[in-house]
Amino acid sequence: MLLLMILLPGLLLPAGPGAALGAGALRDLEDARDPAALEAARFALESYSREADERRGPARLGAIRRAQAQGSYHPVNLTVLPCRTWKEKNRYIFRVVNGIKYYLDVTLLLTSPCSQDGFANQDAAVCENPVEPEQLACHFEVWSQPWMNRKRLVKQECRPAEPSEKVQSAASLEPEEPTRAKAPEEPLRSEALSQNASIQLISLFNDFLTTYKKSYEDERETKRRLQIFAENLEKARTIQELDQGTAEYGVTKFSDLTEDEFRSLYLNPLLAKLPARPMKPAAIPSDPPPAEWDWREHGAITGVKDQGMCGSCWAFSVTGNVEGQWFLRRGTLVSLSEQELVDCDGLDHACGGGLPSNAYEAIEQLGGLETEGDYSYEGHKQSCSFSTSKVAVYINSSVEISRDETEIAAWLAKNGPISIALNAFAMQFYRKGVSHPFRLLCNPWMIDHAVLLVGYGTRGRTPFWAIKNSWGKNWGEQGYYYLYRGSRACGMNTMCSSAVVD
Ligand SMILES: *[C@@H]1O[C@H](CO)[C@@H](O)[C@H](O)[C@H]1NC(C)=O
Ligand SMILES: *[C@@H]1O[C@H](CO)[C@@H](O)[C@H](O)[C@H]1NC(C)=O
Ligand SMILES: *[C@@H]1O[C@H](CO)[C@@H](O)[C@H](O)[C@H]1NC(C)=O
């Protein structure tokens, strides 16, 4: 097949429309079979064919010689979000993925006019000596906003292909039918389709309202939420298409929230912005880790909790870790208070976000944690009502664990569950399975959620991390997220830490 990509020496490519807003690194898509690159190339070809020289035959995709992609971001103004308590600046710009730009070098095959019956400009003299179909080397740039289902060809440059760029056999990446002669859809049929689509949509939305006991104040708000729900289904479909794992994405309890709402209500962008307090490095066991491990099977993990509409994930991640450390050192599993940290940890920002490294420090300064029962969760900041007489557990210090996934596994299996942070991009619509988001969409530097790593293993052939989340049991797999292990997916390796109980 012609799917082999010939890597040309690096070209310098001009910045595109998204770049002005802030662009990520340009990266090679290692595999030209990459479905997203192929889809972008097909789209480019379709746009190209619409305007192509009428005297030529239809063009087909011969090969993708090089494909690169670049994520671009648009700024979100956080003054309108609850994370404004950050001291150093009262406002900062946080970037969210806005679109992807594909840079494609492709070879197009043009069908010889002579092979086409009824072709307008047949030249008898030329057709007596049929030649190889002509080949064009084209550079296309396609700007794509997958969840808007929007693509645009922003650049096209075609010239006759050099011998080194030619496709050897006449086979093509595309089936034989010409791209130009696409039959227009019958209006009646498409109307029926879209009617079906809206009936399906409304029935999904009704199921959603029932399942998650949702209601809105009036009809206008309900319509607005239905619109957001529809856009989110589209977005989930895109994440699904680009996922490289076995995960299923779709309707979740967050399906009626816009990305900005979800981010401000449930995530913690301070994780990527604030420098973590330096901690001692943890000693990594020298023995290789066991093939799988799960602290849930060893009684070290309490039930899944729900942080509610409060960016307090950092507190849940830390109490989960301390619960595990206390259990492993003292033999009892005690559910610990997140509200104490929300109210009394002056180093962090309550529902506005926080850092595990600060929370350990705060627990040391306070003198320990009360139990969940004594200091129960309210989901909003109150005045501190911590009492030293009710301290149930203490910690003595904290450590930073390696960024190497094998070392993380080795530490975990020997020492207990780990507080980690990650980019929660794929989590809003995650339902089950092992999530392995398209790398460009899950930038490892934009970590915005803290969770608890409780184990690891392999499902079928897919290695995973088992992650305890704090969005209730009615999210994910009974409250758990399974993330691909071995590619530092979504930056899960960048902020691993633990409390130490001596
Ligand atoms: C951010 O929001 C503030 C307050 O609403 C406004 O004054 C400021 O101009 C906004 N900045 C940007 C870049 O949108
Ligand atoms: C619409 O849905 C019905 C029932 O699900 C199905 O029988 C019919 O073929 C669908 N029509 C179209 C155009 O998809
Ligand atoms: C750990 O902290 C506890 C409570 O503050 C203290 O009683 C204990 O002595 C400390 N252990 C060590 C080894 O310092």
Side-chain angles (χ1 to χ4, degrees):
M1 276 302 283
L2 296 157
L3 291 163
L4 279 184
M5 195 174 28
I6 301 156
L7 286 181
L8 303 173
L11 309 168
L12 266 182
L13 296 165
L21 296 170
L26 191 62
R27 62 174 78 239
D28 283 314
L29 299 172
E30 280 136 37
D31 188 351
R33 246 171 289 221
D34 186 296
L38 193 57
E39 200 187 314
R42 287 192 180 125
F43 174 82
L45 175 61
E46 227 171 77
S47 309
Y48 164 85
S49 299
R50 255 182 259 128
E51 293 168 21
D53 190 336
E54 282 294 319
R55 290 162 302 177
R56 282 188 167 142
R60 288 177 300 138
L61 198 54
I64 300 176
R65 300 193 313 280
R66 175 186 169 96
Q68 291 178 303
Q70 184 178 44
S72 78
Y73 308 93
H74 75 88
V76 172
N77 189 343
L78 274 195
T79 44
V80 297
L81 306 181
C83 300
R84 70 176 80 168
T85 44
W86 187 29
K87 280 179 243 147
E88 287 173 50
K89 278 182 194 161
N90 53 13
R91 145 180 109 75
Y92 65 91
I93 301 293
F94 191 73
R95 303 188 311 164
V96 299
V97 173
N98 182 39
I100 301 172
K101 195 165 165 198
Y102 293 95
Y103 298 87
L104 304 161
D105 289 310
V106 306
T107 301
L108 298 188
L109 303 172
L110 299 177
T111 317
S112 160
C114 308
S115 64
Q116 300 282 308
D117 285 334
F119 208 80
N121 290 27
Q122 283 202 17
D123 180 330
V126 171
C127 293
E128 269 165 26
N129 302 304
V131 287
E132 289 275 294
E134 196 182 333
Q135 301 196 13
L136 292 182
C138 293
H139 175 73
F140 290 131
E141 293 178 13
V142 176
W143 168 241
S144 161
Q145 289 178 292
W147 38 88
M148 309 290 280
N149 210 1
R150 199 181 284 162
K151 284 199 189 68
R152 200 147 53 86
L153 182 61
V154 292
K155 189 166 189 181
Q156 68 171 60
E157 284 169 358
C158 292
R159 52 173 171 73
E162 302 287 341
S164 67
E165 296 164 336
K166 285 201 173 174
V167 167
Q168 293 310 310
S169 91
S172 127
L173 285 174
E174 290 295 318
E176 284 295 320
E177 69 263 25
T179 52
R180 212 189 285 177
K182 217 176 177 181
E185 273 181 26
E186 295 166 41
L188 263 181
R189 189 175 135 67
S190 72
E191 206 166 89
L193 272 176
S194 79
Q195 227 176 46
N196 261 17
S198 42
I199 291 168
Q200 274 173 12
L201 174 66
I202 286 166
S203 109
L204 275 174
F205 190 58
N206 277 333
D207 289 350
F208 163 80
L209 297 178
T210 318
T211 306
Y212 300 108
K213 301 185 176 59
K214 300 257 185 178
S215 62
Y216 307 106
E217 57 188 25
D218 55 26
E219 196 187 328
R220 196 163 143 260
E221 181 63 5
T222 308
K223 278 190 178 149
R224 191 170 99 80
R225 293 293 154 187
L226 172 63
Q227 177 64 31
I228 294 167
F229 181 84
E231 283 161 15
N232 281 341
L233 277 183
E234 200 51 40
K235 186 168 169 185
R237 195 180 57 82
T238 305
I239 297 172
Q240 180 78 65
E241 273 171 15
L242 296 176
D243 193 83
Q244 296 162 292
T246 62
E248 183 186 307
Y249 302 89
V251 178
T252 68
K253 64 176 175 177
F254 305 119
S255 284
D256 60 345
L257 299 178
T258 65
E259 181 167 341
D260 285 353
E261 286 170 335
F262 179 68
R263 218 166 250 292
S264 66
L265 294 173
Y266 295 94
L267 301 182
N268 177 3
L270 295 184
L271 284 168
K273 287 289 168 182
L274 292 178
R277 193 176 56 85
M279 292 180 282
K280 279 183 308 192
I284 303 298
S286 50
D287 299 338
E292 55 182 31
W293 192 263
D294 193 330
W295 280 113
R296 285 172 292 184
E297 293 164 9
H298 297 84
I301 311 292
T302 57
V304 170
K305 304 180 186 182
D306 192 343
Q307 70 187 71
M309 287 194 198
C310 167
S312 54
C313 55
W314 55 276
F316 286 84
S317 172
V318 163
T319 54
N321 164 264
V322 176
E323 285 163 2
Q325 288 304 304
W326 191 261
F327 171 76
L328 288 163
R329 295 287 168 170
R330 297 288 181 269
T332 47
L333 182 65
V334 187
S335 183
L336 298 172
S337 171
E338 292 78 26
Q339 192 66 36
E340 177 187 328
L341 290 172
V342 170
D343 295 344
C344 312
D345 168 355
L347 304 169
D348 287 303
H349 303 286
C351 293
L355 288 172
S357 55
N358 286 342
Y360 301 127
E361 174 91 27
I363 296 170
E364 285 175 58
Q365 286 174 7
L366 287 162
L369 284 172
E370 294 188 26
T371 65
E372 195 76 76
D374 281 343
Y375 201 148
S376 55
Y377 191 65
E378 302 294 336
H380 53 90
K381 187 176 164 69
Q382 303 169 316
S383 57
C384 177
S385 57
F386 168 74
S387 155
T388 33
S389 64
K390 289 188 187 156
V391 164
V393 312
Y394 58 79
I395 67 172
N396 294 80
S397 59
S398 55
V399 288
E400 187 176 332
I401 298 160
S402 168
R403 291 179 165 228
D404 178 289
E405 281 176 279
T406 307
E407 294 185 357
I408 294 169
W411 195 95
L412 177 136
K414 181 143 187 265
N415 298 292
I418 299 176
S419 163
I420 67 165
L422 44 65
N423 179 335
F425 172 80
M427 294 172 76
Q428 186 178 358
F429 306 117
Y430 170 81
R431 290 170 61 84
K432 61 183 184 185
V434 180
S435 169
H436 189 183
F438 188 48
R439 205 179 147 80
L440 278 168
L441 297 180
C442 214
N443 187 324
W445 301 111
M446 292 190 197
I447 53 176
D448 53 15
H449 190 44
V451 287
L452 187 69
L453 200 60
V454 305
Y456 59 88
T458 307
R459 272 194 196 173
R461 288 189 181 168
T462 312
F464 67 83
W465 289 111
I467 292 171
K468 184 188 183 191
N469 196 7
S470 48
W471 294 345
K473 270 195 178 138
N474 63 352
W475 174 89
E477 292 194 21
Q478 284 83 50
Y480 279 79
Y481 181 50
Y482 292 83
L483 178 64
Y484 186 81
R485 177 168 55 93
S487 68
R488 302 183 296 271
C490 301
M492 59 69 59
N493 64 319
T494 54
M495 200 183 271
C496 300
S497 64
S498 175
V500 175
V501 176
D502 288 325

